[in-house]
Short mmCIF file of all heavy atoms in Angstrom, two decimals:
data_model
loop_
_atom_site.label_atom_id
_atom_site.label_comp_id
_atom_site.label_asym_id
_atom_site.label_seq_id
_atom_site.Cartn_x
_atom_site.Cartn_y
_atom_site.Cartn_z
N ASP A 33 -8.32 6.89 -23.39
CA ASP A 33 -9.15 7.51 -24.42
C ASP A 33 -9.34 9.00 -24.19
O ASP A 33 -9.36 9.79 -25.13
CB ASP A 33 -10.49 6.80 -24.57
CG ASP A 33 -11.30 6.79 -23.27
OD1 ASP A 33 -10.70 7.03 -22.22
OD2 ASP A 33 -12.50 6.53 -23.33
N TYR A 43 -3.10 19.36 -30.59
CA TYR A 43 -2.20 19.41 -31.75
C TYR A 43 -2.93 19.41 -33.08
O TYR A 43 -2.30 19.32 -34.13
CB TYR A 43 -1.20 18.26 -31.67
CG TYR A 43 -0.30 18.38 -30.47
CD1 TYR A 43 -0.45 17.54 -29.38
CD2 TYR A 43 0.67 19.37 -30.42
CE1 TYR A 43 0.36 17.67 -28.27
CE2 TYR A 43 1.48 19.50 -29.31
CZ TYR A 43 1.33 18.65 -28.24
OH TYR A 43 2.12 18.78 -27.15
N GLU A 77 5.51 31.85 -36.57
CA GLU A 77 4.52 32.03 -35.51
C GLU A 77 3.81 33.37 -35.58
O GLU A 77 2.70 33.53 -35.10
CB GLU A 77 5.18 31.89 -34.13
CG GLU A 77 5.79 30.54 -33.86
CD GLU A 77 7.21 30.44 -34.41
OE1 GLU A 77 7.86 31.48 -34.64
OE2 GLU A 77 7.65 29.31 -34.63
#
Side-chain angles (χ1 to χ4, degrees):
D33 58 343
Y43 296 107
E77 298 85 21

